[in-house]
Structures are given as structure tokens and as C-alpha cells.
Amino acid sequence: MKMGHALNPFSTSAPLDATAGPSLIPDLITRIPWPRWTLFIAILAAGVLLVSCLLCVICCYCHRHRHRKQPKDKETVGLGSARNSTTTHLVQPDVDCLEPCSGGDQQWGRLLLSLEYDFGSQEIRVGLRQAGNLKAEGTADPYAWVSVSTQSGRRHETKVHRGTLSPMFEETCCFLVPPAELPKATLKVQLWDFKRFSEHEPLGELQLPLGTVDLQHVLESWYQLGPPGTTEPEQMGELCFSLRYVPSSGSLTVVVLEARGLNPGLAEAYVKIQLMLNQRKWKKSKTSSKKGTTTPYFNEAFVFLVPVSQLQSVDLVLAVWARGLQLRTEPVGKVLLGSRASGQPLQHWADMLAHARRPIAQWHHLRSPREVDRVLALQPRLPLLRPRS
């Protein structure tokens, strides 16, 4: 009015407090020069926040739902579901875990064998491959005895393997078993821990009835070893002696120390030492006789000249002789050493060659005289026919 402007009677001007409040924020947003990219960032942040909230809600719901259903699932697992192969591990452990409690693989070990039967020669060929996880305190020096129940006195002895619980034998032996005796024959494998100057400790045993094995094909499989048998095989005694070889002079020294475990019914025991060259008798000697004892002590030394060139063709045989009930002197048992030997005797012979000029002493189990003669391909002596008078 003061400026000379006339008021419009039809215009209605509202108070300042009523119109300024609601239009303040939109006016500030429209008046500030905001860039366009800030609008997009704000929309994107709001979208991310909304999605994150939805995901958190879903996860919380699923977690609570799972915990509510878990007791129901546990209640449904019973003995009935254990019969299913897919849920057996939920109820009971695997069978391999129960073997130590029942004398399984982890307690006595296992043995890899191959069996082959030759119907032409009527021989069963036993391949002793390897053993695994043998039970012993610390380490062991294992070797094996292989025999068949139908052949008494016939036994194959493997080489001694030093410092191992999983020996690799890789040895093959044959036994004469006619087809009619196969159903009642039993293959027996005994594993022992070798001790040079003490009793050998048993490691395990396998008894396999041949009547339960299909011998129409070559079989090779693992077998679980059981505890050692309570009954020891019939022993003929043991003999302790030392060997020493000097390559420069070619002297072979055999010191017969003592024997033990002989039959109490024997008398006047002595030891005969025999050298054979190319399967022919070459040199021999013997100890003095010991009366009235099952543990005779000899401690007698014998020296033989054996050139290095002939060493691979020489067989050394130590035989315990004694007078029996019929007052006849007969061989009780023999030990064969040399390149054609096997088992502990072969190992003793190899130790002698590896440690020249040093005496190597060891105990040996006596073997059947017929078995040693069979290896040597010696013919038994025929009795002389006396002329009739």
C-alpha cells in the first residue's frame, strides 16, 4: 500500500507459518543443484539395503527351522534303519575297525600267497609272496615255515629278512600231494622272529584246508594270520656252530659249539662235518662223543681248505649222530649250508662271506636227514649183501 500497489480483494493470503513448513524440504531439494549420479547411487544403496535385510530374515528362519527338525531326525534313526547299507555307518563302525578286537589284520598281520596245482606231477606249488603288518615289539627279523599236513617231516624254510614287519619273501616251494589226499590236506605257514642266540619267537600262523580251495586255477590272494599254534611241531633238536672264512688262504673254519633239545633216549651223540664238491663227497671229520646228556657241549674246531674258485660249488653238512634204542648209530638231524641251502642256513652262509675273517655263530634247527639228502640228490646207501656160506 505504501509502495503504491493496490491489494486484490479476491486474493486470500495465508499466514506465513502455515505455508512455509510443508514446502521447506521440497524447496531445498529443488533449489540445491544435485548431480544426477547421486540420485542413482541413493537408489542403488536403498536397494542393496533392502535385499540384505530380506536375506538375513530368510537365513534366520531356515536356521531356526533346521534346529527344530533335528531332534525328530535323530529319533527316527533306529535299528531298523541300520539294516540299510547307506546308514550302517551311522549305527555301527566299519568291520575293519573291529578286527583288532578279534585278532584281525592289525593284530597278527596278513599273508599274500599264490597256489597252483599241477595234476600231471601231482604237486602243489605254494608261492610265498609277502607279509604285512606283523605284530612285534618294535622291529623283527621274520622268516617262515611252509608245510603240508600229509607230508610229515617235509618243510620249507624261507630266508630271514632283517628289521622289517612287512617282509618280501618271493619264494616258491612244491609239495607232493595226490588228488585223493587234497580234501584232507592242510597248508600250514608259520612266521617266526629270528633270534641268533635265543629261542625264536612266533609271529603268527596260517592254516588253510586245501579242500576248501579251488585249485583248478592259479590263485593269489591275501589271508589273515591267526595266533601262533599252541602245539609246537616235532623238533629234532638244535645245533650251534660258528663259521669263519679267510679268502686269502682259502681256509674254512667250523667250530662246533653245542647242541640242545635232543631226544633223551639217545646216547653217545657226536657231530659229523662233511664237505661236498659238485654233489660228491669231498672231505669229512667228526667230533668226540658225549654220553648221557641231551645238551652236549663240544667246542671243537675244524679247518678245511676251500679255494675261492670252488666256494660256490661246495655244500657243508653238519649232522648229529647218536646211538638209539637198537644200539645202532643213526643220524638224528642235519643242517645244510651253501649256495643250495635255504632259510637260516643260507643266511648264515651269506653272513660268513660278507664278514670275512670274522667268526659268525648261530643256532640252527635240525632237519630230517631224508629231506637234506633229497636236496643234495644223494642216494641212500644200500645194505651190502653177505654171501651165503
Side-chain angles (χ1 to χ4, degrees):
M1 292 176 62
K2 292 182 180 180
M3 297 299 294
H5 295 278
L7 291 176
N8 189 2
F10 297 98
S11 65
T12 58
S13 61
L16 183 63
D17 296 337
T19 58
S23 61
L24 179 60
I25 295 176
D27 292 341
L28 291 175
I29 295 175
T30 55
R31 291 179 182 179
I32 297 175
W34 297 94
R36 290 185 177 181
W37 57 270
T38 56
L39 181 61
F40 292 105
I41 291 178
I43 296 174
L44 182 61
V48 172
L49 182 60
L50 181 60
V51 173
S52 301
C53 294
L54 291 177
L55 290 177
C56 291
V57 172
I58 294 174
C59 292
C60 292
Y61 176 78
C62 294
H63 185 70
R64 291 179 181 178
H65 187 69
R66 185 185 305 170
H67 280 285
R68 289 178 181 177
K69 285 189 176 182
Q70 188 172 2
K72 296 181 180 180
D73 294 340
K74 288 184 178 180
E75 292 175 0
T76 57
V77 178
L79 296 178
S81 62
R83 298 188 181 93
N84 192 356
S85 60
T86 59
T87 58
T88 304
H89 65 281
L90 299 176
V91 181
Q92 61 182 9
D94 191 69
V95 178
D96 295 337
C97 301
L98 299 178
E99 286 183 353
C101 301
S102 59
D105 177 36
Q106 295 185 7
Q107 185 174 1
W108 297 106
R110 56 181 186 165
L111 189 65
L112 180 60
L113 287 179
S114 66
L115 300 176
E116 181 182 0
Y117 188 76
D118 188 353
F119 288 91
S121 60
Q122 298 184 356
E123 287 185 342
I124 183 170
R125 185 175 292 105
V126 182
L128 195 61
R129 301 307 179 197
Q130 60 177 322
N133 301 329
L134 299 180
K135 179 184 177 182
E137 296 181 0
T139 184
D141 300 332
Y143 69 96
W145 288 349
V146 185
S147 61
V148 176
S149 60
T150 57
Q151 286 194 347
S152 59
R154 173 79 169 89
R155 183 184 69 195
H156 176 77
E157 183 176 325
T158 67
K159 181 181 176 182
V160 179
H161 295 263
R162 306 287 185 181
T164 178
L165 296 178
S166 299
M168 299 290 295
F169 295 109
E170 296 298 338
E171 296 188 24
T172 304
C173 55
C174 298
F175 298 92
L176 180 62
V177 182
E181 298 181 0
L182 280 176
K184 59 181 180 180
T186 301
L187 176 66
K188 189 174 183 179
V189 182
Q190 296 173 295
L191 274 78
W192 297 85
D193 185 7
F194 171 77
K195 304 292 182 182
R196 188 177 292 274
F197 297 108
S198 61
E199 292 290 339
H200 301 183
E201 298 179 359
L203 295 176
E205 183 176 307
L206 170 66
Q207 293 193 12
L208 181 63
L210 297 180
T212 61
V213 181
D214 184 13
L215 298 177
Q216 299 291 335
H217 309 281
V218 180
L219 303 177
E220 182 170 340
S221 60
W222 287 94
Y223 297 91
Q224 299 293 333
L225 290 174
T230 56
T231 59
E232 293 287 337
E234 183 180 356
Q235 300 289 338
M236 290 170 286
E238 295 178 271
L239 182 64
C240 183
F241 55 89
S242 69
L243 301 177
R244 179 176 178 265
Y245 184 73
V246 181
S248 59
S249 61
S251 62
L252 174 62
T253 303
V254 181
V255 180
V256 181
L257 297 173
E258 58 180 321
R260 65 186 180 190
L262 300 181
N263 192 341
L266 301 177
E268 296 186 12
Y270 66 92
V271 179
K272 182 184 292 186
I273 303 98
Q274 192 171 15
L275 276 178
M276 300 182 184
L277 180 62
N278 296 325
Q279 300 183 6
R280 294 182 180 181
K281 297 180 180 180
W282 187 27
K283 302 176 182 180
K284 64 179 181 178
S285 186
K286 67 177 183 177
T287 65
S288 58
S289 300
K290 304 296 178 180
K291 299 181 180 180
T293 177
T294 59
T295 58
Y297 182 77
F298 302 99
N299 196 19
E300 300 181 24
F302 304 89
V303 180
F304 303 93
L305 295 179
V306 181
V308 179
S309 58
Q310 297 178 345
L311 198 60
Q312 297 296 328
S313 303
V314 167
D315 296 310
L316 175 63
V317 180
L318 285 88
V320 177
W321 288 67
R323 181 176 298 174
L325 299 177
Q326 300 179 356
L327 301 180
R328 294 175 54 186
T329 304
E330 298 178 349
V332 177
K334 296 183 178 182
V335 179
L336 171 64
L337 298 99
S339 58
R340 292 193 296 166
S342 62
Q344 300 176 41
L346 179 60
Q347 185 66 41
H348 194 180
W349 187 263
D351 292 342
M352 177 198 71
L353 299 179
H355 304 85
R357 304 176 181 273
R358 196 176 97 185
I360 306 296
Q362 182 174 320
W363 281 96
H364 291 272
H365 291 280
L366 295 176
R367 300 174 62 183
S368 171
R370 292 183 179 180
E371 183 179 352
V372 175
D373 294 342
R374 189 184 302 112
V375 176
L376 293 173
L378 295 178
Q379 299 295 330
R381 295 182 178 179
L382 298 177
L384 298 178
L385 298 178
R386 296 181 179 181
R388 297 180 180 179
S389 56

